Amino acid sequence: MKNIHFDNLQETLYNEKLDNGLDVYILPKRGFSKTFVTFTTKYGSIDRTFIPRGKTEEVTVPDGIAHFLEHKMFEKEDGDVFQKFSVHGASANAFTSFTRTAYLFSATDKLYDNTEILLDFVQEPYFTEKTVDKEKGIIAQEITMYDDQPDWRLYFGTIENLFHEHPVKIDIAGTVASIQDITADYLYECYETFYHPSNMVLFVVGAVDPEEMMAFIKKNQDAKTFDDPAEIVRSFPTEKDTAAITERKLAMDVSKPKLNIGMKCTNTDIDGEEMLIQELSAGLVLDILFGRSSEFYTETYNDGLIDESFSYDFTMENGFGFAMIGSDTDQPEQLEKAIRTTVKNTVETWPITDLELNRMRKKKIGQFMRSLNSPEFIANQFTRYTFNNMNLFDVVPTLEKLTLENLKDAFQTFSDESGYTVYSIVPADKAE
Amino acid sequence: MFKKVELQEGVTLYIRKSEQFKTVNFSVKWKTALDEKKSAPRAVLANILEESNGRYRSQTEFRNALDELYGTVLYTDAGKRGETHIVSLSAECVNDEYLSEGGVLEEVLSLIKTVIFDPNVVDGQFDETVVNREKRSVKERIRSLYDDKTRYAQKRMLELLRPDSAASAPSYGTEEGVDALTSADLFAAYESMLNEDEIDIYVVGDIDEDEMTEKIRSLLTFNSRKVHERQTATQQTATQEMEVRHVREKQDMKQGKLHLGFTTPVTFRHPDYAKMQMTNGVFGGFAHSKLFINVREKESMAYYASSSYSSHYGLLYVMAGIDAELEEKAVKLISEQLTALQQGEITDLEMEQTKALLANGIKSAFDSARGQIEVFDQYKELDENFTADTIIAGWESVTKEDVKNMASEIKLEIVYLLSGKEAN
């Protein structure tokens, strides 16, 4: 087992890649009474076209299947896995993103019992047509719930606008119609392809003894047999740099219009250090241009163009990326204009100086330190970084060496107006 | 867990040294009796204090200063608990030992002092422009609740169930209340908060307790004040078997939001408090609870179906997102789960699971500084020397018979459905 000590953070991270290919990380946290464990596969909603394990022909599976599979993993022949976690005082959960499916629990007691339940339930699939059909009702209600959430519709509508072909534009849960096509056979096919240990990361953080825990995990894994690791062949359509749709409106029963501008990132075929630099730099640019201390924020807040709901964000994974800026607003046209003017001005004159860079760098370093108090943040983010060949603990040293040139390069990846879209939600009575 | 230091009569410091966190957390809480007229000015005031002050006159200057202090977080909020209205000022900064330069903690303390004692006031008035802008912000926050259908349905159900009471009183006031505020009202509210409210100050982090206590004592120079005991709302319970009210409201939406309101005579200060928490857990608090198993897993009717116990008001809520046409079936299923509890259909497994998860919840809450502050601030009203273990022991001693008895005290009063479809 390797260990890496981060002196400045006073943290030690333990790591070992097991014989079956599973990557295990353990981070003990002093003073904590809970332990948080995540077991994550590099398989999300965008992985819809691939060559199934042991086959040669590419398949395209129904939309929403990764998320459906996540739900179905909790049901076994002898009942529901939540029940087992509950007996041992663990609070369990799971989530599916564009690129990952994570299973997790947090517990203050019976750490090994709970870890064993986690490892075993994720590694023992059990699907029948009957249980698959039953789940359709539950997931249909989940989808319907999101349909009534204006902020989710705004977020997803913007992504749908930005992308022509890339499956990131498909809702993670699929649609009520698409999930009807899901069968137990499909679930097994996806499971066999993506849930091999070599495509997964186990992260343990909190009140844990690293040596003992690693030995426990190894013993559990050694007792199981797995096929040899095989390369996963995923296929993605070619995506243009432009936005697919430049503007769209949706009428909903809301109290105030909502506006969101999406900006497509054009440099997405990257990973590792290059990705880390780009995403940190893009985040800093947005902080400088749109953060609470920015000229933009002061003016638009004073003028009532934005309110407390204002937010901005930069998202990227290998293959896709976008920035988003939005707010509830009574004056969507003026807000759109203000955002566009700020971006355009930045393209033309590049007003960002070292002064702002240094201030925002400090802010980001502080933010990162603060998030290290959260086992949830560490486990989830570390896994995401690992899947993109980055290391979460490189964040501070990388922030420290970023230059204005890095910021400029990152900004250029989403500064072309042909990659912009505007999505708005308007109160039903004001819709055209 | 926290060391208690009375700084002045009515002003108390609770301090805790912990090596667990990389940051130092501060929280100052102003508490007063909940009163609809007080909520609006205090909510707007909270915004104004967060926005600027005598040292940093604009939001840009103030936020720049915080950014320079390694992204120190500083925010205010208005909330309520039982019959108490609480304005809080929270700050969190990175502990100096993790930074290449020192002095951050010192500067943050000085900023907290500035925010509280040196507001952005000229000639005894808050700036009119700032006041109007923050009034607008708070009004928009109140209005935006409409967009979150689950929260909106819960608010409507409470208004119908307990009109004109603390349980349904908004902690930010009403739009009309905010509209009517003048600069003078706000300054009066500020002075009363500063001089009359009960004040609790919290500090958690890897700090020297004595040194920090002296710093707080010299920086936060509040006067002494008399504090009046505020009790949990006395629960109005039906003496007779009451008719359950059914209310249906419509909006343009897809899912039916089913919210049930139950009453119970057991509140936070009641000796049976722990028993009622257990009962709620077996009923619908967790993924092993009767509601989750029967409404979601067996019938596939809902993605969420859960209950929560609002102990300060002696209320228990059930909420579920369902197809509106299935309202009757869902209400029947939910009622059957309560009946099962009332008839003692409770397994050892359900008891064991609920105890284990309640214990996990409280211990996990103490793994964040904010959790330590919030849980302590609430539980100290019962017993200042409580620990996670004493709370857990309270649950451990609850029996199936207790849960059965508690369930028999729970009465359904209202069924509220917010939906877009015609339901019959």
Side-chain angles (χ1 to χ4, degrees), chain A residues 76-102:
Chain A
K76 304 295 172 204
E77 200 163 4
D78 61 347
D80 186 301
V81 181
F82 283 119
Q83 299 283 339
K84 293 189 189 170
F85 278 119
S86 287
V87 180
H88 297 300
S91 166
N93 214 334
F95 67 83
T96 307
S97 72
F98 296 127
T99 54
R100 285 175 286 149
T101 312

PDB file of all heavy atoms in Angstrom, chain A residues 76-102:
ATOM      1  N   LYS A  76     -32.544  -7.038  -3.982  1.00  0.00           N
ATOM      2  CA  LYS A  76     -31.980  -8.380  -4.132  1.00  0.00           C
ATOM      3  C   LYS A  76     -33.076  -9.421  -3.914  1.00  0.00           C
ATOM      4  O   LYS A  76     -34.175  -9.082  -3.467  1.00  0.00           O
ATOM      5  CB  LYS A  76     -30.868  -8.606  -3.096  1.00  0.00           C
ATOM      6  CG  LYS A  76     -29.755  -7.586  -3.151  1.00  0.00           C
ATOM      7  CD  LYS A  76     -28.956  -7.638  -4.441  1.00  0.00           C
ATOM      8  CE  LYS A  76     -27.986  -6.474  -4.521  1.00  0.00           C
ATOM      9  NZ  LYS A  76     -27.595  -6.135  -5.888  1.00  0.00           N
ATOM     10  N   GLU A  77     -32.714 -10.670  -4.180  1.00  0.00           N
ATOM     11  CA  GLU A  77     -33.682 -11.740  -4.018  1.00  0.00           C
ATOM     12  C   GLU A  77     -34.235 -11.776  -2.591  1.00  0.00           C
ATOM     13  O   GLU A  77     -35.419 -12.005  -2.372  1.00  0.00           O
ATOM     14  CB  GLU A  77     -33.025 -13.086  -4.365  1.00  0.00           C
ATOM     15  CG  GLU A  77     -34.046 -14.150  -4.681  1.00  0.00           C
ATOM     16  CD  GLU A  77     -33.429 -15.330  -5.402  1.00  0.00           C
ATOM     17  OE1 GLU A  77     -32.190 -15.334  -5.578  1.00  0.00           O
ATOM     18  OE2 GLU A  77     -34.174 -16.247  -5.780  1.00  0.00           O
ATOM     19  N   ASP A  78     -33.342 -11.513  -1.623  1.00  0.00           N
ATOM     20  CA  ASP A  78     -33.788 -11.577  -0.218  1.00  0.00           C
ATOM     21  C   ASP A  78     -34.218 -10.211   0.327  1.00  0.00           C
ATOM     22  O   ASP A  78     -34.281 -10.005   1.525  1.00  0.00           O
ATOM     23  CB  ASP A  78     -32.679 -12.179   0.658  1.00  0.00           C
ATOM     24  CG  ASP A  78     -31.399 -11.337   0.615  1.00  0.00           C
ATOM     25  OD1 ASP A  78     -31.287 -10.447  -0.255  1.00  0.00           O
ATOM     26  OD2 ASP A  78     -30.510 -11.574   1.454  1.00  0.00           O
ATOM     27  N   GLY A  79     -34.500  -9.276  -0.539  1.00  0.00           N
ATOM     28  CA  GLY A  79     -35.038  -8.003  -0.055  1.00  0.00           C
ATOM     29  C   GLY A  79     -34.203  -6.795  -0.408  1.00  0.00           C
ATOM     30  O   GLY A  79     -33.327  -6.849  -1.275  1.00  0.00           O
ATOM     31  N   ASP A  80     -34.488  -5.738   0.318  1.00  0.00           N
ATOM     32  CA  ASP A  80     -33.965  -4.431  -0.003  1.00  0.00           C
ATOM     33  C   ASP A  80     -32.659  -4.155   0.757  1.00  0.00           C
ATOM     34  O   ASP A  80     -32.571  -4.412   1.963  1.00  0.00           O
ATOM     35  CB  ASP A  80     -35.061  -3.459   0.437  1.00  0.00           C
ATOM     36  CG  ASP A  80     -34.773  -2.041   0.066  1.00  0.00           C
ATOM     37  OD1 ASP A  80     -33.727  -1.506   0.499  1.00  0.00           O
ATOM     38  OD2 ASP A  80     -35.599  -1.466  -0.641  1.00  0.00           O
ATOM     39  N   VAL A  81     -31.650  -3.646   0.067  1.00  0.00           N
ATOM     40  CA  VAL A  81     -30.345  -3.436   0.700  1.00  0.00           C
ATOM     41  C   VAL A  81     -30.395  -2.337   1.773  1.00  0.00           C
ATOM     42  O   VAL A  81     -29.667  -2.396   2.759  1.00  0.00           O
ATOM     43  CB  VAL A  81     -29.276  -3.103  -0.357  1.00  0.00           C
ATOM     44  CG1 VAL A  81     -27.919  -2.903   0.293  1.00  0.00           C
ATOM     45  CG2 VAL A  81     -29.196  -4.208  -1.399  1.00  0.00           C
ATOM     46  N   PHE A  82     -31.274  -1.341   1.584  1.00  0.00           N
ATOM     47  CA  PHE A  82     -31.410  -0.281   2.599  1.00  0.00           C
ATOM     48  C   PHE A  82     -31.660  -0.879   3.980  1.00  0.00           C
ATOM     49  O   PHE A  82     -31.192  -0.374   4.991  1.00  0.00           O
ATOM     50  CB  PHE A  82     -32.575   0.653   2.255  1.00  0.00           C
ATOM     51  CG  PHE A  82     -32.266   1.629   1.154  1.00  0.00           C
ATOM     52  CD1 PHE A  82     -32.992   1.616  -0.033  1.00  0.00           C
ATOM     53  CD2 PHE A  82     -31.263   2.576   1.314  1.00  0.00           C
ATOM     54  CE1 PHE A  82     -32.711   2.515  -1.046  1.00  0.00           C
ATOM     55  CE2 PHE A  82     -30.980   3.480   0.302  1.00  0.00           C
ATOM     56  CZ  PHE A  82     -31.704   3.453  -0.881  1.00  0.00           C
ATOM     57  N   GLN A  83     -32.454  -1.963   3.988  1.00  0.00           N
ATOM     58  CA  GLN A  83     -32.793  -2.620   5.253  1.00  0.00           C
ATOM     59  C   GLN A  83     -31.538  -3.113   5.970  1.00  0.00           C
ATOM     60  O   GLN A  83     -31.406  -2.973   7.175  1.00  0.00           O
ATOM     61  CB  GLN A  83     -33.708  -3.829   4.980  1.00  0.00           C
ATOM     62  CG  GLN A  83     -35.017  -3.482   4.333  1.00  0.00           C
ATOM     63  CD  GLN A  83     -36.006  -2.896   5.325  1.00  0.00           C
ATOM     64  OE1 GLN A  83     -35.873  -3.101   6.524  1.00  0.00           O
ATOM     65  NE2 GLN A  83     -36.967  -2.143   4.836  1.00  0.00           N
ATOM     66  N   LYS A  84     -30.633  -3.685   5.184  1.00  0.00           N
ATOM     67  CA  LYS A  84     -29.401  -4.226   5.789  1.00  0.00           C
ATOM     68  C   LYS A  84     -28.531  -3.101   6.346  1.00  0.00           C
ATOM     69  O   LYS A  84     -27.977  -3.206   7.436  1.00  0.00           O
ATOM     70  CB  LYS A  84     -28.588  -4.993   4.741  1.00  0.00           C
ATOM     71  CG  LYS A  84     -29.258  -6.258   4.267  1.00  0.00           C
ATOM     72  CD  LYS A  84     -28.278  -7.041   3.399  1.00  0.00           C
ATOM     73  CE  LYS A  84     -28.984  -8.200   2.714  1.00  0.00           C
ATOM     74  NZ  LYS A  84     -28.130  -8.827   1.708  1.00  0.00           N
ATOM     75  N   PHE A  85     -28.405  -2.031   5.564  1.00  0.00           N
ATOM     76  CA  PHE A  85     -27.629  -0.893   6.058  1.00  0.00           C
ATOM     77  C   PHE A  85     -28.255  -0.338   7.338  1.00  0.00           C
ATOM     78  O   PHE A  85     -27.549  -0.004   8.290  1.00  0.00           O
ATOM     79  CB  PHE A  85     -27.561   0.215   4.997  1.00  0.00           C
ATOM     80  CG  PHE A  85     -26.506   0.005   3.947  1.00  0.00           C
ATOM     81  CD1 PHE A  85     -26.838  -0.127   2.608  1.00  0.00           C
ATOM     82  CD2 PHE A  85     -25.156  -0.026   4.293  1.00  0.00           C
ATOM     83  CE1 PHE A  85     -25.863  -0.293   1.628  1.00  0.00           C
ATOM     84  CE2 PHE A  85     -24.170  -0.187   3.320  1.00  0.00           C
ATOM     85  CZ  PHE A  85     -24.526  -0.318   1.987  1.00  0.00           C
ATOM     86  N   SER A  86     -29.586  -0.225   7.332  1.00  0.00           N
ATOM     87  CA  SER A  86     -30.285   0.337   8.498  1.00  0.00           C
ATOM     88  C   SER A  86     -29.965  -0.421   9.786  1.00  0.00           C
ATOM     89  O   SER A  86     -29.720   0.188  10.819  1.00  0.00           O
ATOM     90  CB  SER A  86     -31.801   0.285   8.290  1.00  0.00           C
ATOM     91  OG  SER A  86     -32.207   1.243   7.359  1.00  0.00           O
ATOM     92  N   VAL A  87     -29.951  -1.751   9.692  1.00  0.00           N
ATOM     93  CA  VAL A  87     -29.679  -2.546  10.891  1.00  0.00           C
ATOM     94  C   VAL A  87     -28.328  -2.155  11.483  1.00  0.00           C
ATOM     95  O   VAL A  87     -28.150  -2.114  12.699  1.00  0.00           O
ATOM     96  CB  VAL A  87     -29.671  -4.056  10.550  1.00  0.00           C
ATOM     97  CG1 VAL A  87     -29.378  -4.875  11.802  1.00  0.00           C
ATOM     98  CG2 VAL A  87     -30.990  -4.476   9.945  1.00  0.00           C
ATOM     99  N   HIS A  88     -27.379  -1.837  10.610  1.00  0.00           N
ATOM    100  CA  HIS A  88     -26.042  -1.475  11.083  1.00  0.00           C
ATOM    101  C   HIS A  88     -25.862   0.037  11.204  1.00  0.00           C
ATOM    102  O   HIS A  88     -24.737   0.535  11.206  1.00  0.00           O
ATOM    103  CB  HIS A  88     -24.983  -2.061  10.153  1.00  0.00           C
ATOM    104  CG  HIS A  88     -24.993  -3.559  10.131  1.00  0.00           C
ATOM    105  ND1 HIS A  88     -24.784  -4.311  11.254  1.00  0.00           N
ATOM    106  CD2 HIS A  88     -25.232  -4.435   9.128  1.00  0.00           C
ATOM    107  CE1 HIS A  88     -24.875  -5.594  10.943  1.00  0.00           C
ATOM    108  NE2 HIS A  88     -25.153  -5.697   9.658  1.00  0.00           N
ATOM    109  N   GLY A  89     -26.978   0.739  11.251  1.00  0.00           N
ATOM    110  CA  GLY A  89     -26.914   2.184  11.517  1.00  0.00           C
ATOM    111  C   GLY A  89     -26.303   3.003  10.409  1.00  0.00           C
ATOM    112  O   GLY A  89     -25.816   4.111  10.656  1.00  0.00           O
ATOM    113  N   ALA A  90     -26.291   2.494   9.187  1.00  0.00           N
ATOM    114  CA  ALA A  90     -25.695   3.270   8.100  1.00  0.00           C
ATOM    115  C   ALA A  90     -26.782   3.923   7.272  1.00  0.00           C
ATOM    116  O   ALA A  90     -27.820   3.335   6.993  1.00  0.00           O
ATOM    117  CB  ALA A  90     -24.839   2.382   7.209  1.00  0.00           C
ATOM    118  N   SER A  91     -26.494   5.137   6.879  1.00  0.00           N
ATOM    119  CA  SER A  91     -27.404   5.828   6.006  1.00  0.00           C
ATOM    120  C   SER A  91     -26.825   5.684   4.592  1.00  0.00           C
ATOM    121  O   SER A  91     -25.723   6.140   4.308  1.00  0.00           O
ATOM    122  CB  SER A  91     -27.446   7.273   6.486  1.00  0.00           C
ATOM    123  OG  SER A  91     -28.041   8.075   5.552  1.00  0.00           O
ATOM    124  N   ALA A  92     -27.569   5.002   3.708  1.00  0.00           N
ATOM    125  CA  ALA A  92     -27.035   4.672   2.381  1.00  0.00           C
ATOM    126  C   ALA A  92     -27.721   5.480   1.298  1.00  0.00           C
ATOM    127  O   ALA A  92     -28.835   5.961   1.474  1.00  0.00           O
ATOM    128  CB  ALA A  92     -27.226   3.182   2.100  1.00  0.00           C
ATOM    129  N   ASN A  93     -27.034   5.631   0.188  1.00  0.00           N
ATOM    130  CA  ASN A  93     -27.613   6.366  -0.926  1.00  0.00           C
ATOM    131  C   ASN A  93     -26.854   6.037  -2.212  1.00  0.00           C
ATOM    132  O   ASN A  93     -25.889   5.272  -2.195  1.00  0.00           O
ATOM    133  CB  ASN A  93     -27.550   7.868  -0.661  1.00  0.00           C
ATOM    134  CG  ASN A  93     -28.749   8.588  -1.254  1.00  0.00           C
ATOM    135  OD1 ASN A  93     -29.356   8.127  -2.217  1.00  0.00           O
ATOM    136  ND2 ASN A  93     -29.085   9.724  -0.672  1.00  0.00           N
ATOM    137  N   ALA A  94     -27.268   6.640  -3.306  1.00  0.00           N
ATOM    138  CA  ALA A  94     -26.583   6.453  -4.580  1.00  0.00           C
ATOM    139  C   ALA A  94     -26.951   7.619  -5.483  1.00  0.00           C
ATOM    140  O   ALA A  94     -27.970   8.267  -5.269  1.00  0.00           O
ATOM    141  CB  ALA A  94     -27.025   5.150  -5.233  1.00  0.00           C
ATOM    142  N   PHE A  95     -26.113   7.898  -6.453  1.00  0.00           N
ATOM    143  CA  PHE A  95     -26.496   8.900  -7.458  1.00  0.00           C
ATOM    144  C   PHE A  95     -25.856   8.576  -8.794  1.00  0.00           C
ATOM    145  O   PHE A  95     -24.827   7.895  -8.867  1.00  0.00           O
ATOM    146  CB  PHE A  95     -26.128  10.322  -7.019  1.00  0.00           C
ATOM    147  CG  PHE A  95     -24.648  10.582  -6.928  1.00  0.00           C
ATOM    148  CD1 PHE A  95     -23.905  10.925  -8.049  1.00  0.00           C
ATOM    149  CD2 PHE A  95     -23.993  10.484  -5.703  1.00  0.00           C
ATOM    150  CE1 PHE A  95     -22.539  11.163  -7.969  1.00  0.00           C
ATOM    151  CE2 PHE A  95     -22.618  10.720  -5.608  1.00  0.00           C
ATOM    152  CZ  PHE A  95     -21.907  11.060  -6.745  1.00  0.00           C
ATOM    153  N   THR A  96     -26.499   9.046  -9.837  1.00  0.00           N
ATOM    154  CA  THR A  96     -25.975   8.862 -11.185  1.00  0.00           C
ATOM    155  C   THR A  96     -25.762  10.233 -11.802  1.00  0.00           C
ATOM    156  O   THR A  96     -26.653  11.079 -11.739  1.00  0.00           O
ATOM    157  CB  THR A  96     -26.981   8.077 -12.049  1.00  0.00           C
ATOM    158  OG1 THR A  96     -27.312   6.869 -11.363  1.00  0.00           O
ATOM    159  CG2 THR A  96     -26.401   7.752 -13.420  1.00  0.00           C
ATOM    160  N   SER A  97     -24.591  10.451 -12.369  1.00  0.00           N
ATOM    161  CA  SER A  97     -24.332  11.715 -13.050  1.00  0.00           C
ATOM    162  C   SER A  97     -24.120  11.418 -14.532  1.00  0.00           C
ATOM    163  O   SER A  97     -24.361  10.313 -14.994  1.00  0.00           O
ATOM    164  CB  SER A  97     -23.107  12.412 -12.452  1.00  0.00           C
ATOM    165  OG  SER A  97     -21.933  11.726 -12.834  1.00  0.00           O
ATOM    166  N   PHE A  98     -23.661  12.409 -15.280  1.00  0.00           N
ATOM    167  CA  PHE A  98     -23.373  12.186 -16.693  1.00  0.00           C
ATOM    168  C   PHE A  98     -22.328  11.091 -16.880  1.00  0.00           C
ATOM    169  O   PHE A  98     -22.382  10.312 -17.814  1.00  0.00           O
ATOM    170  CB  PHE A  98     -22.820  13.467 -17.330  1.00  0.00           C
ATOM    171  CG  PHE A  98     -23.799  14.606 -17.352  1.00  0.00           C
ATOM    172  CD1 PHE A  98     -23.455  15.851 -16.840  1.00  0.00           C
ATOM    173  CD2 PHE A  98     -25.055  14.443 -17.910  1.00  0.00           C
ATOM    174  CE1 PHE A  98     -24.355  16.906 -16.875  1.00  0.00           C
ATOM    175  CE2 PHE A  98     -25.960  15.498 -17.947  1.00  0.00           C
ATOM    176  CZ  PHE A  98     -25.609  16.736 -17.426  1.00  0.00           C
ATOM    177  N   THR A  99     -21.355  11.035 -15.963  1.00  0.00           N
ATOM    178  CA  THR A  99     -20.202  10.164 -16.187  1.00  0.00           C
ATOM    179  C   THR A  99     -19.964   9.114 -15.109  1.00  0.00           C
ATOM    180  O   THR A  99     -19.053   8.312 -15.221  1.00  0.00           O
ATOM    181  CB  THR A  99     -18.918  11.027 -16.261  1.00  0.00           C
ATOM    182  OG1 THR A  99     -18.872  11.830 -15.074  1.00  0.00           O
ATOM    183  CG2 THR A  99     -18.919  11.921 -17.483  1.00  0.00           C
ATOM    184  N   ARG A 100     -20.738   9.138 -14.020  1.00  0.00           N
ATOM    185  CA  ARG A 100     -20.463   8.239 -12.904  1.00  0.00           C
ATOM    186  C   ARG A 100     -21.736   7.703 -12.274  1.00  0.00           C
ATOM    187  O   ARG A 100     -22.768   8.368 -12.295  1.00  0.00           O
ATOM    188  CB  ARG A 100     -19.748   9.018 -11.780  1.00  0.00           C
ATOM    189  CG  ARG A 100     -18.315   9.336 -12.035  1.00  0.00           C
ATOM    190  CD  ARG A 100     -17.789  10.216 -10.905  1.00  0.00           C
ATOM    191  NE  ARG A 100     -18.301  11.568 -11.009  1.00  0.00           N
ATOM    192  CZ  ARG A 100     -18.527  12.369 -10.000  1.00  0.00           C
ATOM    193  NH1 ARG A 100     -18.304  11.972  -8.769  1.00  0.00           N
ATOM    194  NH2 ARG A 100     -18.986  13.586 -10.192  1.00  0.00           N
ATOM    195  N   THR A 101     -21.626   6.519 -11.670  1.00  0.00           N
ATOM    196  CA  THR A 101     -22.675   6.026 -10.790  1.00  0.00           C
ATOM    197  C   THR A 101     -22.000   5.690  -9.468  1.00  0.00           C
ATOM    198  O   THR A 101     -21.049   4.908  -9.439  1.00  0.00           O
ATOM    199  CB  THR A 101     -23.343   4.758 -11.341  1.00  0.00           C
ATOM    200  OG1 THR A 101     -23.684   4.963 -12.709  1.00  0.00           O
ATOM    201  CG2 THR A 101     -24.614   4.427 -10.549  1.00  0.00           C
ATOM    202  N   ALA A 102     -22.471   6.317  -8.389  1.00  0.00           N
ATOM    203  CA  ALA A 102     -21.827   6.133  -7.092  1.00  0.00           C
ATOM    204  C   ALA A 102     -22.798   5.540  -6.093  1.00  0.00           C
ATOM    205  O   ALA A 102     -23.968   5.928  -6.040  1.00  0.00           O
ATOM    206  CB  ALA A 102     -21.316   7.477  -6.581  1.00  0.00           C
TER     207      ALA A 102
END
